[in-house]
């Protein structure tokens, strides 16, 4: 598999990031090693960007902005369609890079081209309104205009899709963008930026500055010429980014963590529920904000369901990116320590370990950060394992007696990103869907599955702002009222 590693060097320019259409090193010349979390092999060096690099990128984006804003929306749309085609043509390389840096198995056909097509189709549909006036000689109207330079800070778990969620609507609306990928997995973002240039998107419209969060990330969030921000990551860092934005009065959206409940009722269609519940906590090794990390089950069903899930968890194939597996390693040693810490903590708090709970060992696993898919039963709602985001393949089972208690437990964390309700009773499903505090509720399904353009985002400390929906392009515009006084 070392050929896969060296092939990244042939796709990306070692030690360089993208500023104003040029691939340049960090001004201080320092780099960060990006590793494969399954083997710790070094994949590539990327620049350790800082304040000056961010400043250069924002300057380049500012310079590119007026021409991009004034480009016909139909032309912008066509460039995005072309970008979608280029991304489709390079889907295999994109997938390989993301698999190598995140350590995940292949997920099949990429959703990135469709994300671009969706935004492209909205680029020339941004419109204002005419307004009633007090006199026939007056005209009132609104224009929707782009902000200017927008900043986007991306996490390491799903770098490609998360970058596209910000980039596509932002540039469709006529903004230019500076992206700061995560230090653990910046390569997919760099490659997608390279493909944007290949598609003909003008220099300076898409810029990527790599670096550490407190350096490049903080510099971007506090840059006075950034007019709108978006952040995806942990609540703690999200709060710091908000503080930086508050100083400059810059609007933003934040997409943070989750402790998403899977609420299983007595009459649930278990044949469908069980594989989905397994997948929703082992997908990307549990490293997704929407992971279904809490199983809320009616007490009378608990034993049967936990037994079936335990069997299913034991069958989840775990391994490195080049194998036909369902689950890869965690991203880093730091995350491994964190997940194992939560597992130990759960035992100390009195939760019952049903399956998993260990670091995997053996030739295939020893150099990577592999942890078994894990279930804890008899978890009490107040335990840390039931309250805090683990960001690993750890499912907490909590039982409830009635619907009222289920809702109370489901809503009893600081988070509210997504939730699933499993039942054959439509009335109960709808009632529960209304009462659960979450930005997205799936009935007998999982988040965003099969729905095009479902708005995504959090309630409570899972964040605010919605992405992915038909309004996503409008979110990157500001409204100007124009008043024309034609009175004599
Ligand atoms: P994690 O702890 O899992 O890496 P974070 O929320 O800290 O999650 O990281 C998400 C993104 O935020 C990454 O791109 C990271 O570099 C960036 N980041 C981290 N700290 C800061 C900060 N102080 N200011 C701005 N961005 C930051």
């Amino acid at each position: 598999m070392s050929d896969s590693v060296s092939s990244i060097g042939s796709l990306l320019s070692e030690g360089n990031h993208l500023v104003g259409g040029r691939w340049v090193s960090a001004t201080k010349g320092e780099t960060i090693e990006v590793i494969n979390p399954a083997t710790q092999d070094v994949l590539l060096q990327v620049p350790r960007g800082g304040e000056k690099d961010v400043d250069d990128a924002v300057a380049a984006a500012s310079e590119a902005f007026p021409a991009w804003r004034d480009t016909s929306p139909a032309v912008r749309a066509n460039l995005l369609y072309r970008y979608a085609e280029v991304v489709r043509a390079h889907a295999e390389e994109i997938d390989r890079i993301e698999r190598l840096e995140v350590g995940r198995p292949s997920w099949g056909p990429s959703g990135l081209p469709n994300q671009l097509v969706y935004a492209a189709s909205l680029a020339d549909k941004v419109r204002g309104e005419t307004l009633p006036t007090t006199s026939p000689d007056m005209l009132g109207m609104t224009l929707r205009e782009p902000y200017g330079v927008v900043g986007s800070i991306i996490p390491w778990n799903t770098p490609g899709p998360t970058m596209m969620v910000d980039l596509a609507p932002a540039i469709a609306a006529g903004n230019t963008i500076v992206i700061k990928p995560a230090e653990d997995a910046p390569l997919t973002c760099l490659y997608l930026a390279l493909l944007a240039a290949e598609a003909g998107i003008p220099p300076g419209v898409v810029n990527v500055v790599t670096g550490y969060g407190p350096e490049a990330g903080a510099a971007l969030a506090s840059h006075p010429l950034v007019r709108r921000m978006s952040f995806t990551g942990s609540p703690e860092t999200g709060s710091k980014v908000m503080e930086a934005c508050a100083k400059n009065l810059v609007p933003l959206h934040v997409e943070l963590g989750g402790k998403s409940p899977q609420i299983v009722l007595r009459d649930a269609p278990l044949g469908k529920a069980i594989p989905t519940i397994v997948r929703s906590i082992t997908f990307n090794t549990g490293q997704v904000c929407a992971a279904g990390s809490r199983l809320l089950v009616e007490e009378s069903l608990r034993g049967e369901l936990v037994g079936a899930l335990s069997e299913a968890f034991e069958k989840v194939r775990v391994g490195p990116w080049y194998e036909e597996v369902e689950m890869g390693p965690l991203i880093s040693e730091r995350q491994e320590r964190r997940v194992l810490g939560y597992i130990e903590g759960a035992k100390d708090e009195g939760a019952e370990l049903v399956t998993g709970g260990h670091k995997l060992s053996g030739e295939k696993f020893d150099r990577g950060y592999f942890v078994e898919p894990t279930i804890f039963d008899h978890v009490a709602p107040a335990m840390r394992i039931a309250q805090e985001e683990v960001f690993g393949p750890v499912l907490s089972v909590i039982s409830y007696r009635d619907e009222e208690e289920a809702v109370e437990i489901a809503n009893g964390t600081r988070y509210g990103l997504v939730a699933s309700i499993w039942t054959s009773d439509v009335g109960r499903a709808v009632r529960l869907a209304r009462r659960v505090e979450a930005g997205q509720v799936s009935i007998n399904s999982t988040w965003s599955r099969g729905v095009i353009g479902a708005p995504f985002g959090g309630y409570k400390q899972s964040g605010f702002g919605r992405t992915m929906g038909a309004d996503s392009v409008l979110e990157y515009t500001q409204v100007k009222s124009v008043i024309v006084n034609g009175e004599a």
Side-chain angles (χ1 to χ4, degrees):
M1 277 300 130
S2 55
D3 55 326
S4 303
V5 174
S6 62
S7 70
I8 289 191
S10 66
L11 295 173
L12 282 170
S13 168
E14 174 109 33
N16 290 328
H17 53 194
L18 184 63
V19 175
R22 294 193 313 126
W23 290 90
V24 295
S25 56
T27 22
K28 288 190 181 156
E30 290 177 79
T31 57
I32 300 171
E33 272 183 358
V34 182
I35 64 151
N36 177 338
T39 59
Q40 298 187 41
D41 289 337
V42 176
L43 298 170
L44 205 77
Q45 305 278 341
V46 297
R48 177 177 174 178
E51 219 170 296
K52 174 75 172 70
D53 303 275
V54 167
D55 201 41
D56 290 348
V58 173
S62 297
E63 203 180 311
F65 172 63
W68 184 244
R69 172 196 61 202
D70 295 340
T71 298
S72 155
V75 172
R76 285 203 303 264
N78 276 308
L79 283 167
L80 281 161
Y81 283 125
R82 200 188 299 163
Y83 188 17
E85 286 319 305
V86 173
V87 165
R88 204 185 303 281
H90 292 85
E92 228 171 87
E93 287 96 324
I94 299 167
D95 188 51
R96 190 166 75 236
I97 294 175
E98 197 171 89
R99 281 162 63 199
L100 283 166
E101 66 176 345
V102 178
R104 63 165 177 80
S106 180
W107 289 340
S110 164
L112 295 174
N114 286 349
Q115 276 182 275
L116 277 163
V117 166
Y118 190 79
S121 72
L122 296 169
D124 59 356
K125 290 165 195 74
V126 173
R127 55 206 162 79
E129 298 174 320
T130 53
L131 306 166
T133 53
T134 54
S135 141
D137 296 333
M138 297 205 49
L139 184 62
M141 61 190 155
T142 60
L143 304 177
R144 280 198 175 261
E145 297 183 332
Y147 282 92
V149 179
V150 305
S152 160
I153 297 176
I154 307 291
W156 44 260
N157 58 342
T158 52
T162 310
M163 167 170 162
M164 221 38 104
V165 157
D166 288 343
L167 178 147
I171 69 170
N175 301 279
T176 55
I177 191 164
V178 178
I179 293 153
K180 207 300 278 176
E183 50 273 37
D184 290 309
L187 304 180
T188 314
C189 296
L190 288 168
Y191 190 57
L192 286 171
L194 183 147
L195 296 181
E198 198 173 312
I201 291 172
V205 172
V206 176
N207 306 271
V208 178
V209 176
T210 55
Y212 292 115
E215 298 173 4
L220 183 60
S222 61
H223 199 290
L225 291 182
V226 168
R227 302 286 188 222
R228 190 196 184 285
M229 266 308 290
S230 70
F231 172 81
T232 309
S234 63
E236 292 67 29
T237 306
S239 166
K240 284 186 198 155
V241 168
M242 279 183 71
E243 263 179 57
C245 287
K247 288 215 175 89
N248 294 329
L249 300 168
V250 166
L252 80 167
H253 77 254
V254 291
E255 210 264 87
L256 310 170
K259 196 71 198 174
S260 301
Q262 299 273 353
I263 307 172
V264 183
L265 276 61
R266 179 72 236 176
D267 61 357
L270 291 184
K272 191 153 80 163
I274 289 167
T276 311
I277 291 168
V278 175
R279 178 111 177 110
S280 90
I281 188 66
T282 55
F283 176 73
N284 214 29
T285 322
Q287 302 170 122
V288 276
C289 48
S293 53
R294 290 185 300 154
L295 175 71
L296 274 51
V297 56
E298 212 164 296
E299 177 54 37
S300 63
L301 184 64
R302 190 178 55 75
E304 180 190 338
L305 184 57
V306 170
L309 282 171
S310 170
E311 258 178 53
F313 266 52
E314 279 157 26
K315 287 194 191 123
V316 172
R317 286 167 296 171
V318 184
W321 76 100
Y322 51 84
E323 288 192 351
E324 288 257 325
V325 292
E326 282 106 26
M327 199 180 101
L330 295 163
I331 187 81
S332 62
E333 194 181 349
R334 181 170 71 109
Q335 284 305 115
E336 184 184 89
R337 239 182 294 126
R338 177 189 157 94
V339 171
L340 292 173
Y342 271 111
I343 289 173
E344 286 315 305
K347 289 187 213 159
D348 293 344
E349 281 186 299
E352 180 190 311
L353 181 65
V354 176
T355 183
H358 307 99
K359 180 173 166 51
L360 280 152
S361 57
E363 209 196 328
K364 193 162 75 171
F365 302 118
D366 284 345
R367 297 185 60 221
Y369 310 114
F370 293 94
V371 172
E372 291 172 326
T374 299
I375 302 178
F376 278 103
D377 194 3
H378 298 293
V379 173
M383 288 180 184
R384 281 185 63 207
I385 197 78
Q387 289 290 327
E388 298 180 17
E389 187 177 45
V390 175
F391 232 54
V394 182
L395 180 69
S396 295
V397 181
I398 307 169
S399 63
Y400 64 86
R401 284 181 304 273
D402 55 27
E403 205 175 295
E404 204 55 40
E405 197 183 18
V407 170
E408 196 181 309
I409 297 169
N411 293 341
T413 74
R414 65 168 166 154
Y415 293 113
L417 191 56
V418 306
S420 287
I421 295 161
W422 296 92
T423 177
S424 304
D425 181 333
V426 177
R428 285 181 90 189
V430 170
R431 195 164 59 235
L432 279 166
R434 287 189 199 280
R435 294 188 64 195
V436 170
E437 293 167 348
Q440 196 178 97
V441 181
S442 308
I443 294 159
N444 296 334
S445 188
T446 188
W447 74 88
S448 297
R449 168 106 156 251
V451 176
I452 296 165
F456 190 85
Y459 274 31
K460 303 192 290 188
Q461 291 189 22
S462 288
F464 50 82
R466 293 291 176 271
T467 59
M468 298 188 206
D471 288 344
S472 57
V473 173
L474 300 184
E475 294 276 332
Y476 280 96
T477 63
Q478 49 193 343
V479 176
K480 178 182 281 175
S481 297
V482 177
I483 294 147
V484 183
N485 182 358
E487 286 176 339

